[in-house]
């Protein structure tokens, strides 16, 4: 029986050793493949061809102190591999003068975000499908680096990196990533100052620290103190969607401090913010408008359109209407319909708030009366 037990023990150890050997071989093969893919990425050709003209042009006759002048001329665009029957944009023509505040509205799938992506040169318009013109030149003529240095994009797709919060904000201005005073000013402008103050380490907090400490086969009783220490090391910190958007917004305000930003594109960055936070963010962005062209893409536009120089109402990939708030309301068309839907919603909310206020006021009045006559 002893010999059988010993043989079984060795058999189990041998089987485990062979399993680990095969697992290590598979992992080694996977690592080699990953390394190969990493090196192959260096040979991937960018489909966006770089231009040769620096922005702003050294001999530019245009006045860029107000911002970037934007024009779309008969632009039609379909995403690569898209199987939709209709293009994302269909024969779109519009102009946003330098220094303007433009608001792009419309139903989902209208092509609002596509315009922003074309301006950022994430995609290019195919030859013969129109032109995107920046300060009088086709956008493809400019170098990508110089053009993007003049842009600030604020979207809901931005991410936080596994770095300190100060570095996440400071990446908007890499040369000043260690300037804590400038970073805190950007945090105040972006609405993230209160968030930073709630962390014990403040701006030095890392939401997703890299794990460098490990513990194995720790007994709950014998190694209780050690397990407690390990639990506190490099602990992941959670933030809400709205708090994340405040941090990303602060990064955009950090970019403003470079003094190079001539175009701000805001594409639904406040989807997780409460109405008050959204309103305050847009107000601070408008306050930083000097020297910039600003384009806002949003579904909640009631507090923006009254300040807009131009409103672009998109529908099914086309410009349905174009003009100021007063002009589009007078048309009583697509824009007026969207605006009235929001206005009715806000009116209903205000009515509910009014009755809640009356209810609370009446309760307080009755409470005061009861206290006067000695009621409990």
């Amino acid at each position: 029986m002893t010999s059988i037990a010993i043989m079984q023990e060795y058999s189990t150890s041998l089987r485990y050793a062979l399993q680990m050997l095969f697992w290590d071989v598979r992992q080694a093969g996977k690592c080699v493949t990953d390394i190969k893919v990493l090196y192959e990425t260096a040979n991937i050709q960018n489909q966006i061809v770089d231009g040769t003209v620096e922005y702003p042009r050294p001999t530019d006759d245009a006045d860029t102190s107000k911002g970037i002048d934007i024009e779309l001329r008969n632009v039609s665009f379909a995403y690569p591999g898209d199987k939709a029957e209709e293009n994302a944009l269909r024969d779109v023509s519009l102009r946003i003068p330098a220094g303007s505040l433009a608001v792009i509205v419309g139903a989902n799938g209208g092509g609002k975000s596509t315009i922003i992506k074309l301006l950022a040169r994430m995609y290019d318009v195919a030859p013969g499908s129109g032109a995107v013109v920046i300060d009088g030149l086709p956008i493809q003529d400019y170098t990508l680096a110089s053009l993007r240095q003049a842009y600030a994009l604020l979207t809901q797709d931005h991410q936080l990196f596994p770095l300190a919060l100060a570095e996440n904000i400071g990446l908007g201005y890499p040369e000043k990533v260690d300037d804590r005073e400038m970073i805190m000013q950007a945090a105040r402008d972006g609405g993230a100052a209160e968030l930073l103050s709630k962390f014990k380490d403040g701006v030095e907090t890392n939401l997703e620290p890299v794990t460098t400490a490990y513990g194995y086969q720790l007994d709950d009783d014998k190694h209780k103190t050690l397990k407690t220490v390990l639990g506190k090391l490099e602990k992941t910190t959670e933030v809400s969607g709205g708090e994340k958007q405040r941090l990303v917004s602060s990064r955009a305000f950090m970019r403003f401090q470079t003094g190079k930003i001539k175009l701000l594109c805001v594409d639904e960055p406040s989807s997780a913010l409460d109405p008050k936070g959204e309103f305050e963010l847009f107000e601070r962005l408008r306050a930083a408008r000097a020297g910039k062209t600003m384009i806002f893409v949003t579904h909640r536009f009631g507090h923006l359109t009254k300040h807009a120089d131009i409103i672009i109402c998109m529908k099914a990939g086309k410009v349905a209407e174009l003009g100021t708030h007063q002009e589009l309301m007078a048309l009583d068309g697509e824009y007026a319909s969207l605006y009235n839907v929001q206005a009715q919603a806000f009116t209903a909310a205000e009515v509910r708030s009014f009755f809640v206020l009356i209810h609370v006021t009446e309760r307080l009045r009755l409470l005061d009366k009861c206290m006067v006559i000695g009621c409990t």
Side-chain angles (χ1 to χ4, degrees):
M1 292 297 294
T2 302
S3 298
I4 292 174
I6 293 173
M7 183 174 65
Q8 184 181 18
E9 181 68 24
Y10 276 110
S11 173
T12 302
S13 299
L14 178 62
R15 184 171 67 251
Y16 176 76
L18 289 174
Q19 287 176 344
M20 292 304 298
L21 178 63
F22 285 120
W23 186 84
D24 287 339
V25 169
R26 287 197 300 270
Q27 288 299 110
K30 181 179 182 300
C31 290
V32 170
T33 302
D34 291 343
I35 293 172
K36 179 183 177 183
V37 171
L38 179 63
Y39 277 95
E40 287 177 347
T41 56
N43 299 322
I44 296 176
Q45 291 187 350
N46 192 348
Q47 298 298 313
I48 306 297
V49 180
D50 205 358
T52 57
V53 179
E54 293 290 320
Y55 184 90
R57 304 195 294 272
T59 58
D60 201 348
D61 295 330
D63 182 10
T64 60
S65 62
K66 294 181 179 179
I68 288 180
D69 186 273
I70 299 168
E71 188 176 358
L72 271 64
R73 299 175 181 171
N74 306 110
V75 171
S76 294
F77 175 78
Y79 287 99
D82 191 5
K83 296 181 180 180
E85 294 183 2
E86 299 289 348
N87 290 343
L89 293 179
R90 293 186 287 160
D91 196 28
V92 172
S93 295
L94 58 91
R95 180 170 178 260
I96 303 174
S100 299
L101 191 156
V103 179
I104 306 177
V105 302
N108 291 334
K112 304 183 298 297
S113 297
T114 303
I115 293 176
I116 303 298
K117 292 175 182 178
L118 291 179
L119 292 176
R121 288 204 70 192
M122 297 178 184
Y123 299 93
D124 272 340
V125 177
S129 298
V132 179
V133 179
I134 300 294
D135 285 347
L137 279 184
I139 195 171
Q140 291 90 343
D141 290 355
Y142 294 103
T143 62
L144 288 168
S146 65
L147 196 63
R148 288 173 178 169
Q149 281 182 351
Y151 286 7
L153 302 180
L154 186 53
T155 74
Q156 56 185 330
D157 296 327
H158 285 303
Q159 299 295 323
L160 295 178
F161 301 100
L163 304 169
L165 293 180
E167 292 173 311
N168 267 285
I169 296 173
L171 285 174
Y173 192 171
E175 294 83 355
K176 298 291 184 179
V177 73
D178 295 322
D179 191 328
R180 292 298 183 263
E181 183 177 348
M182 188 175 288
I183 287 172
M184 284 308 300
Q185 181 58 50
R188 286 189 289 271
D189 292 338
E194 185 178 348
L195 167 64
L196 298 179
S197 65
K198 82 174 188 179
F199 294 118
K200 182 179 67 175
D201 296 328
V203 295
E204 304 304 327
T205 302
N206 193 333
L207 299 180
E208 298 178 8
V210 177
T211 303
T212 58
Y214 300 89
Y216 299 99
Q217 298 181 348
L218 299 179
D219 186 85
D220 290 341
D221 295 325
K222 293 181 181 180
H223 309 109
K224 186 176 181 179
T225 303
L226 180 57
K227 290 189 70 175
T228 302
V229 172
L230 285 173
K232 292 181 179 179
L233 289 175
E234 298 141 356
K235 187 176 180 180
T236 300
T237 305
E238 295 290 336
V239 293
S240 67
E243 290 172 334
K244 175 183 173 183
Q245 289 184 338
R246 290 177 186 271
L247 290 168
V248 171
S249 299
S250 299
R251 187 188 300 163
F253 278 98
M254 192 72 181
R255 279 190 62 73
F256 290 169
Q257 299 187 60
T258 64
K260 299 178 180 179
I261 303 303
K262 299 298 179 183
L263 173 64
L264 169 67
C265 295
V266 182
D267 188 3
E268 292 287 354
S270 56
S271 56
L273 291 177
D274 56 80
K276 181 175 181 290
E278 180 186 46
F279 175 78
E280 292 175 347
L281 172 61
F282 286 164
E283 286 295 295
R284 286 190 291 267
L285 289 172
R286 286 200 313 106
R289 180 179 171 181
K292 306 176 188 67
T293 301
M294 291 191 169
I295 303 175
F296 288 84
V297 174
T298 178
H299 287 98
R300 297 182 290 193
F301 51 81
H303 52 284
L304 273 176
T305 51
K306 62 182 179 181
H307 304 289
D309 299 303
I310 181 173
I311 300 170
I312 304 160
C313 184
M314 302 292 297
K315 185 176 182 180
K318 291 184 176 182
V319 177
E321 296 168 349
L322 192 68
T324 64
H325 173 72
Q326 291 77 12
E327 292 170 346
L328 297 187
M329 290 299 292
L331 291 176
D332 196 24
E334 180 71 15
Y335 172 80
S337 175
L338 294 171
Y339 185 86
N340 288 331
V341 168
Q342 293 195 27
Q344 291 171 6
F346 284 123
T347 301
E350 289 170 357
V351 170
R352 285 195 298 271
S353 299
F354 177 71
F355 281 106
V356 168
L357 180 61
I358 291 177
H359 177 70
V360 172
T361 303
E362 183 65 18
R363 291 290 298 273
L364 290 174
R365 188 185 65 80
L366 292 174
L367 181 60
D368 288 340
K369 186 176 180 180
C370 287
M371 291 177 67
V372 169
I373 63 176
C375 297
T376 58

